[in-house]
């Protein structure tokens, strides 16, 4: 049995001298406790040295993928005729067995054997010490790490993150400076703010004009249109602004220079960001645009981190605060985040924005993974997916009857409504009878007479109503007077019996008190006589 061992300097083949010891795996490590016992267990048969670092890197990269390199195949063919080969990787052993017809073994005993060989490698390989092996392994590990990363300056998404952050900061500063120019120069020429709406054109006009008195003599054709130039010159003559000194105008012009320089640098930065996005994430750029794609990468941290996110996360990326507030208050969650500013979502109607943003997020997740992990540099996938999204948008906007997306193939069938058709069986009931207009009998009377007759009837009805109303009014008046008299007559009658009842009660009370008083007087007399 032969053992294949990989070293930073090359491939080594060891001959197993005591194959019987392989049956006892637990005691196999004791055979490599010392260099002498290790030499009795295995013996070096052949060694294939690497010529340079690139050859070593190629061989090790092939081994990581589970395939033998060209040099390894030649080495095994020359030294493994009729022998069984012990390997550390079962996948590598299967490929060697298929292509080179060499029997390969991979088990626990082989792994323990390789561990023992590694511990005594410098003793088993003559002319290779620790001082030589350490620099080889260090250099090969660095080369292998760079190969795994596949480092490329064109694939650095950190530049995109910094560029989009600086672009947002420039927009804020530019807006602040432009508003300051408008407010400062507005004291001198307030009408100019309404005439020139654009901030950059406003700053150019102020820099060129200076004092508003000079406006009539200057030519603004390179900056403004003819109509706006005419309005500016007319307003400068009748302006209500205050006068300013030359020192004030000097500082205002310097501020205009700052605004124009910031605007120029922002345009250069946008071109740089556009080229970087087309290089690093071409498919994502084709789907959502440069600015939205760059903001998604910046929010995710990197293109690789963003590729690990599902489409549902990409859809609401940037709306985390609204999402957690909705979950806390048990309200509806947001339908879109940064992806809302994509042109495809902007083209959709308000009722279709949620559906389009969900579809766009799903396609964007696929495009991000293709850009981050794929080898291609073209944007064919992003262009195809954008065409599909635009077709879906046209389908949503144009269709009259709704259907579930992907649930039916072809156009929906539109059945004509038939009132004579049964609902269940599909047969026809007896047709309904139609109205026969020919059977009507018409009176041959002139239209004018009929109209006059109708008017006369209406007049008679009105007269009857008026007469009825007058009779009702007459009958109501005497009835009201009679009721008032009855009330006035009834009131004194009710008052007199009440007074009589009160007098009777007083008389009865006096009669009841009289005997009691007499008794008291008689008792007093008796007491006096006894005394």
């Amino acid at each position: 049995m032969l053992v294949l061992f990989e070293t930073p300097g090359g491939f080594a083949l060891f001959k197993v001298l005591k194959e019987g010891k392989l049956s006892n795996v637990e005691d196999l490590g004791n055979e490599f406790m010392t260099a002498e016992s290790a030499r009795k267990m295995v013996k070096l048969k052949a060694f294939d040295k690497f010529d340079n670092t690139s050859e070593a890197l190629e061989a090790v990269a092939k081994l990581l993928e589970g395939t033998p390199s060209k040099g390894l195949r030649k080495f095994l063919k020359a030294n493994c005729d009729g022998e069984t080969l012990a390997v550390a990787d079962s996948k590598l052993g299967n490929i060697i067995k298929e292509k080179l017809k060499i029997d390969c073994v991979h088990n626990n005993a082989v792994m323990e054997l390789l561990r023992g060989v590694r511990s005594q490698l410098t003793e088993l390989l003559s002319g290779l010490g620790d001082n030589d092996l350490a620099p080889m392994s260090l250099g090969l590990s660095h080369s292998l790490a760079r190969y795994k990363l596949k480092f490329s300056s064109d694939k650095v998404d950190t530049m995109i993150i910094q560029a989009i952050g600086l672009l947002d900061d420039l927009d804020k500063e530019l807006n602040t400076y432009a508003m300051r120019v408008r407010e400062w120069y507005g004291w001198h020429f307030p009408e100019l703010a309404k005439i020139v709406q654009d901030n950059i054109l406003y700053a150019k006009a102020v820099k060129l004009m200076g004092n508003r008195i000079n406006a009539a003599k200057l030519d603004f054709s390179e900056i403004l249109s003819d109509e706006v130039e005419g309005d500016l010159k007319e307003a400068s003559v009748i302006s209500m602004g205050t006068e300013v000194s030359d020192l004030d105008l000097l500082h205002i012009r310097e501020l205009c220079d700052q605004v124009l320089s910031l605007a120029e640098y922002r345009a250069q930065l946008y071109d740089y960001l556009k080229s970087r996005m087309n290089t690093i994430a071409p498919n994502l750029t084709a789907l959502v645009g440069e600015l939205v794609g760059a903001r998604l990468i910046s929010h995710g941290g990197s293109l690789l981190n963003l590729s690990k996110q599902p489409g549902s996360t990409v859809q609401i990326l940037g709306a985390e605060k609204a999402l957690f507030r909705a979950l806390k208050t048990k309200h509806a969650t947001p339908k879109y985040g940064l992806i809302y500013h994509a042109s495809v979502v902007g083209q959709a109607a308000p009722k279709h924005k949620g559906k389009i943003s969900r579809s766009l997020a799903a396609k964007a997740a696929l495009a991000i993974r293709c850009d981050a992990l794929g080898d291609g540099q073209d944007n064919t996938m992003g262009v195809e997916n954008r065409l599909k999204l635009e077709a879906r948008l046209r389908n949503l906007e144009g269709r009259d009857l709704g259907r579930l997306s992907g649930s039916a193939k072809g156009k929906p069938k539109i059945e004509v409504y038939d009132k004579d058709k049964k609902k269940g069986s599909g047969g026809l009931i007896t047709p309904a009878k139609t109205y026969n207009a020919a059977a009507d009998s018409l009176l041959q009377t002139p239209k004018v007479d009929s109209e006059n007759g109708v008017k006369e009837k209406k007049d008679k009805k009105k007269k009857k109503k008026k007469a009825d109303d007058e009779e009702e009014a007459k009958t109501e008046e005497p009835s009201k007077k009679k009721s008032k008299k009855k009330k006035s007559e009834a009131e004194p009658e009710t008052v007199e019996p009440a007074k009589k009842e009160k007098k009777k009660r007083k008389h009865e009370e006096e009669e009841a008190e009289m005997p009691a008083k007499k008794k008291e007087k008689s008792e007093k007399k008796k007491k006096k006589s006894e005394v």
Side-chain angles (χ1 to χ4, degrees):
M1 178 185 285
L2 298 177
V3 178
L4 177 63
F5 191 83
E6 305 92 3
T7 67
F11 294 107
L13 276 177
F14 290 95
K15 176 72 175 177
V16 180
L17 301 177
K18 298 179 181 179
E19 295 184 11
K21 295 288 183 75
L22 296 177
S23 58
N24 192 1
V25 181
E26 296 178 356
D27 296 335
L28 192 59
N30 298 328
E31 300 294 331
F32 293 91
M33 295 297 292
T34 60
E36 294 179 358
S37 59
R39 292 191 187 97
K40 294 178 182 179
M41 188 66 189
V42 294
K43 180 183 178 181
L44 181 65
K45 181 179 180 181
F47 186 80
D48 184 22
K49 186 179 179 181
F50 297 134
D51 294 334
N52 49 41
T53 309
S54 61
E55 184 182 353
L57 177 61
E58 183 183 359
V60 174
K62 290 283 186 180
L63 287 176
L64 289 174
E65 295 174 0
T67 57
S69 63
K70 187 176 180 180
L72 180 59
R73 288 198 297 267
K74 290 181 179 179
F75 178 64
L76 293 177
K77 283 180 181 179
N79 297 286
C80 293
D81 292 338
E83 294 282 351
T84 303
L85 185 65
V87 294
D89 188 6
S90 60
K91 185 178 178 181
L92 178 64
N94 293 331
I95 294 176
I96 292 173
K97 187 176 181 179
E98 289 177 4
K99 293 185 176 181
L100 304 178
K101 307 301 180 184
I102 299 173
D103 294 333
C104 296
V105 180
H106 174 77
N107 50 33
N108 293 332
V110 172
M111 297 303 294
E112 192 67 28
L113 185 63
L114 289 171
R115 191 178 293 111
V117 171
R118 187 179 294 109
S119 63
Q120 298 293 336
L121 183 61
T122 55
E123 299 295 334
L124 295 173
L125 292 176
S126 59
L128 188 65
D130 291 333
N131 296 331
D132 298 330
L133 196 62
M136 288 181 186
S137 61
L138 183 62
L140 184 60
S141 62
H142 287 172
S143 301
L144 185 62
R146 283 194 294 271
Y147 175 78
K148 281 185 175 181
L149 291 173
K150 294 179 181 178
F151 178 77
S152 174
S153 60
D154 295 335
K155 283 286 184 182
V156 179
D157 52 5
T158 308
M159 303 303 172
I160 290 177
I161 298 172
Q162 298 298 329
I164 191 63
L166 179 58
L167 194 68
D168 292 337
D169 293 340
L170 280 176
D171 288 335
K172 292 178 183 178
E173 293 295 327
L174 191 60
N175 189 39
T176 304
Y177 280 18
M179 291 298 105
R180 182 61 61 190
V181 170
R182 285 178 176 272
E183 185 178 355
W184 198 351
Y185 194 73
W187 288 98
H188 179 60
F189 193 2
E191 293 83 5
L192 184 62
K194 292 183 178 180
I195 297 171
V196 182
Q197 300 292 333
D198 187 71
N199 292 331
I200 307 303
L201 296 179
Y202 187 92
K204 288 181 179 180
V206 171
K207 182 182 177 182
L208 179 62
M209 181 169 46
N211 199 316
R212 68 170 184 266
I213 302 172
N214 303 326
K217 304 175 184 178
L218 297 174
D219 183 18
F220 295 92
S221 59
E222 297 181 357
I223 304 172
L224 306 173
S225 61
D226 295 337
E227 296 179 0
V228 177
E229 183 180 0
D231 295 339
L232 187 148
K233 290 181 178 180
E234 291 178 2
S236 64
V237 178
I238 57 172
S239 177
M240 300 293 292
T242 60
E243 296 295 333
V244 291
S245 63
D246 294 337
L247 183 62
D248 297 333
L249 290 174
L250 178 64
H251 286 286
I252 292 173
R253 282 182 169 177
E254 288 181 356
L255 184 57
C256 292
D257 291 334
Q258 293 291 329
V259 172
L260 296 176
S261 63
L262 282 176
E264 184 179 358
Y265 177 63
R266 187 200 177 280
Q268 295 176 1
L269 184 64
Y270 177 73
D271 293 337
Y272 166 75
L273 178 64
K274 188 176 180 180
S275 64
R276 288 285 89 192
M277 283 296 296
N278 286 322
T279 304
I280 296 174
N283 294 297
L284 181 62
T285 305
L287 267 178
V288 299
E290 298 87 7
L291 293 177
V292 178
R295 286 192 174 91
L296 286 173
I297 294 173
S298 176
H299 205 83
S302 67
L303 186 63
L304 190 62
N305 290 341
L306 193 62
S307 65
K308 299 174 184 177
Q309 304 295 336
S312 57
T313 303
V314 175
Q315 181 181 354
I316 60 171
L317 206 63
E320 291 85 0
K321 188 181 290 185
L323 173 66
F324 292 120
R325 182 172 63 245
L327 293 175
K328 185 178 180 181
T329 57
K330 295 182 180 180
H331 285 82
T333 54
K335 296 179 180 179
Y336 25 68
L338 292 171
I339 209 169
Y340 178 80
H341 300 286
S343 60
V344 179
V345 179
Q347 294 171 8
K351 61 180 179 180
H352 298 314
K353 285 186 185 295
K355 293 180 180 179
I356 290 298
S357 63
R358 184 168 60 250
S359 302
L360 180 60
K363 298 297 183 185
L366 295 177
I368 291 165
R369 290 165 193 166
C370 183
D371 292 330
L373 307 173
D375 296 330
Q377 296 292 330
D378 56 347
N379 60 350
T380 54
M381 178 189 176
V383 173
E384 290 176 0
N385 287 333
R386 185 179 178 86
L387 293 176
K388 291 179 182 178
L389 287 170
E390 290 176 352
R392 174 166 168 75
L393 178 59
R394 287 194 298 271
N395 186 21
L396 287 172
E397 295 287 349
R399 68 184 180 183
D400 295 327
L401 295 177
R403 65 176 178 86
L404 295 176
S405 60
S407 61
K409 293 183 179 179
K411 296 181 179 179
K413 294 181 180 180
I414 302 174
E415 296 181 355
V416 181
Y417 172 72
D418 191 355
K419 61 182 181 179
D420 297 330
K421 189 175 182 179
K422 291 183 179 179
K423 292 182 179 179
S425 61
L428 294 175
I429 60 175
T430 57
K433 294 181 180 180
T434 57
Y435 179 74
N436 188 9
D440 292 342
S441 61
L442 300 176
L443 295 175
Q444 296 179 356
T445 54
K447 294 182 179 179
V448 180
D449 296 340
S450 62
E451 290 177 357
N452 293 332
V454 172
K455 288 181 180 179
E456 289 176 359
K457 289 181 180 179
K458 289 182 179 179
D459 294 337
K460 287 181 180 180
K461 288 181 180 179
K462 288 181 179 179
K463 288 179 180 179
K464 286 182 179 180
K465 285 183 179 180
K466 286 182 180 180
D468 294 337
D469 293 337
E470 290 176 359
E471 290 178 359
E472 290 178 359
K474 289 178 181 179
T475 53
E476 286 177 358
E477 288 178 358
S479 63
K480 287 181 180 179
K481 291 179 180 179
K482 289 179 181 180
S483 61
K484 287 180 180 180
K485 288 180 181 180
K486 288 180 180 179
K487 287 181 181 179
S488 60
E489 291 175 357
E491 284 177 358
E493 291 178 0
T494 53
V495 172
E496 289 177 358
K499 289 181 179 180
K500 290 180 180 180
E501 288 178 357
K502 287 182 180 179
K503 289 180 180 180
K504 287 181 181 180
R505 288 177 185 173
K506 287 182 180 180
H507 184 67
E508 290 175 355
E509 289 175 358
E510 289 176 357
E511 289 179 352
E513 290 176 358
M514 285 298 290
K517 288 180 179 180
K518 289 180 179 181
K519 288 180 181 179
E520 289 178 358
K521 287 181 180 181
S522 60
E523 287 177 357
K524 286 180 180 180
K525 287 179 180 181
K526 288 180 181 180
K527 288 180 180 178
K528 287 180 180 181
S529 60
E530 289 175 357
V531 173

